[in-house]
Amino acid sequence: MKHLKQKFNLVLSLVTAFLLLPALSLAQNADVVEKGSFQALKTPIILVVALIVAIGLLFLIEKVVPRKVRPLFSVIFLLASVFFGYKIYNSIMAPVEFRQVKVKRYTAVINNLKDIRDAQLAHKTIRGDYAKDFNALESFIENAEFAIVEKRDSSYTEFDKVYKIDKLKEVVIIDTLSFRAVKDSLFKGSDRYKKMRYVPYAKNEKETFKMKVDSIIVNGYTAPVFKVSVDKDVILHDQNKDLLMQEKRVVSVDEVDGKEIFVGSLEKVSDSGNWPTSYEINDKNKKK
């Protein structure tokens, strides 16, 4: 009989461990949790403490609780083990799943921002300024062309009226060879530029990025500037509110800082985004 009870107690302990081990395995995955981070260290600590408490309670029941009511306590403990095991599992998995969702959605958003940035830079190169809205930018992509040019050095002599002699003049001659459509140059036959204004994974499928265009004075010259942005609330609208609040306060070289994802700036001449280099590396690997 005693041997049977020991087996039963062992089963109870294993139930708790079984519920938590999948979370431990995934939470240690380097793809979703950075090695050495607080989240990676917190997970095994929670597991060890939970198992120690579970085993301690089992022995406490065995030593303190009267023999007649031990079966009732054992059943209560089994249910409690399952309940708290489930809760601990969720507490471990929630940040891991949040990060997986975040990285997937941020990647799609950043890819759109890159397309918008490339289109705006092409607009500035050809027209001298940035498109004021998405309609103008899309129209530009569909109709504008890049000039394919060839540069070559040349020289000629010119009579100098002051010194009364011929002087050698060196010049750069630019020949226009042909034209290439902006659409083909930037998007290589794809029509994704027609959807780049829309925020991926937003609650409203027609939610668009916020785009602002302005000009600033830099060293006495007027320079055009632009900024395209979207709030993290829009991208992660259906995620855990506490984790979303933490995400909006994050400041790290390995994360997207602040409350929004953006490219460009209205305060300085810049076409950079506020995302880390990891999103650039992941994008290059996918293209390979």
Side-chain angles (χ1 to χ4, degrees), residues 128-182:
D129 58 7
Y130 294 116
K132 294 182 178 180
D133 55 46
F134 285 109
N135 289 334
L137 188 59
E138 187 174 321
S139 176
F140 164 78
I141 294 170
E142 290 180 340
N143 301 299
E145 295 179 320
F146 280 116
I148 310 300
V149 300
E150 179 184 61
K151 295 182 180 181
R152 54 190 175 87
D153 297 327
S154 183
S155 61
Y156 65 94
T157 57
E158 184 180 71
F159 182 73
D160 191 310
K161 295 180 180 179
V162 177
Y163 295 100
K164 307 298 181 180
I165 59 173
D166 289 332
K167 280 190 173 182
L168 182 67
K169 297 284 186 179
E170 294 185 350
V171 296
V172 176
I173 298 176
I174 301 176
D175 295 325
T176 301
L177 302 179
S178 62
F179 292 90
R180 185 179 183 186
V182 170

Side-chain angles (χ1 to χ4, degrees), residues 69-89:
V69 294
R70 284 179 188 175
L72 177 61
F73 271 84
S74 296
V75 172
I76 293 174
F77 181 74
L78 175 60
L79 296 176
S81 297
V82 174
F83 175 77
F84 287 111
Y86 175 75
K87 288 292 185 181
I88 295 172
Y89 178 89

